[in-house]
């Protein structure tokens, strides 16, 4: 991980972990990002714990230290536990996650590795468990998470590890 930042965070700190990162250098863009974050978490068809499972799988695949350490409070309130978070690994199929949660992880992996290569077996399972609208929400959430975690990684300056921290959906 690049511990030297490629871009320095704003001098004036606000107390908001996202606004105080390098993303805070472009508040006009960041404000739209915060709006979209709220819609993904609060306006979609998937519940917050399901959204968080996809976000954390993306964070693990991209290796975004910040994203891996964050837990959204709305997902924790919805029942996401650290025990469940520990199951979001490469052996998730062998865990006690629900079939729906395992499908979210399988879809996220497929999306990140080969979005056009969705096999007929996975497609059939997804359509048995999720509505088309839920799959669109999941697709858009994963695309969003992937873009911003890659942005964070590319900007550098992250430590090798961070403690688990809970944050709120931006208001």
């Amino acid at each position: 991980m690049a511990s030297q930042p490629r871009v320095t965070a704003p001098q004036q700190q606000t107390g908001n972990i996202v606004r105080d990162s390098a993303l805070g250098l472009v508040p006009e863009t960041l404000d739209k990002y915060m709006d979209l974050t709220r819609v993904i978490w609060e306006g979609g068809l998937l519940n917050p714990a399901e959204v968080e499972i996809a976000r954390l799988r993306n964070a693990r695949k991209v290796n975004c230290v910040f994203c891996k350490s964050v837990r959204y409070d709305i997902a924790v309130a919805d029942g996401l536990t650290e025990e469940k978070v520990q199951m979001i690994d490469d052996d998730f199929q062998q865990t006690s996650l629900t079939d729906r949660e395992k499908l979210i992880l399988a879809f996220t992996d497929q999306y990140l590795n080969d979005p056009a290569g969705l096999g007929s077996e996975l497609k059939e399972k997804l359509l048995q468990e999720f509505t088309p609208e839920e799959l669109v929400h999941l697709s858009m959430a994963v695309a969003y998470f992937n873009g911003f975690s890659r942005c964070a990684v590319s900007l550098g300056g992250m430590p090798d590890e961070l403690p688990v921290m809970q944050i709120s959906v931006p208001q």
Side-chain angles (χ1 to χ4, degrees), residues 40-152:
I40 286 172
W41 283 101
E42 297 172 343
L45 298 169
L46 300 176
N47 70 50
E50 292 172 334
V51 172
E52 184 76 327
I53 286 169
R55 189 191 67 77
L56 288 168
R57 183 62 175 178
N58 169 75
R60 184 180 185 287
K61 297 293 252 178
V62 175
N63 197 27
C64 178
V65 174
F66 176 77
C67 299
K68 289 191 303 186
S69 67
V70 164
R71 307 292 182 267
Y72 276 90
D73 60 355
I74 192 171
V76 172
D78 193 42
L80 185 78
T81 64
E82 283 305 305
E83 178 184 14
K84 201 168 271 198
V85 170
Q86 295 307 312
M87 293 184 235
I88 304 172
D89 63 13
D90 289 339
D91 295 324
F92 68 84
Q93 292 291 1
Q94 315 312 316
T95 68
S96 62
L97 292 170
T98 68
D99 289 343
R100 185 173 171 94
E101 292 164 339
K102 290 176 184 178
L103 282 169
I104 289 170
L105 295 174
F107 177 85
T108 301
D109 283 357
Q110 184 65 52
Y111 186 99
L112 296 173
N113 296 329
D114 181 12
L118 184 67
S120 58
E121 182 181 342
L122 179 55
K123 181 179 178 180
E124 183 179 320
K125 288 179 182 179
L126 288 165
L127 290 172
Q128 287 174 357
E129 183 66 39
F130 297 94
T131 66
E133 294 84 3
E134 288 174 320
L135 288 173
V136 170
H137 181 212
L138 180 57
S139 297
M140 293 176 76
V142 173
Y144 175 76
F145 298 144
N146 189 252
F148 273 90
S149 61
R150 287 182 183 276
C151 179

Side-chain angles (χ1 to χ4, degrees), residues 7-28:
V7 176
T8 305
Q11 292 294 329
Q12 186 173 357
Q13 298 290 289
T14 66
N16 178 293
I17 196 164
V18 176
R19 290 187 186 282
D20 293 345
S21 74
L23 298 174
L25 293 171
V26 288
E28 60 283 350

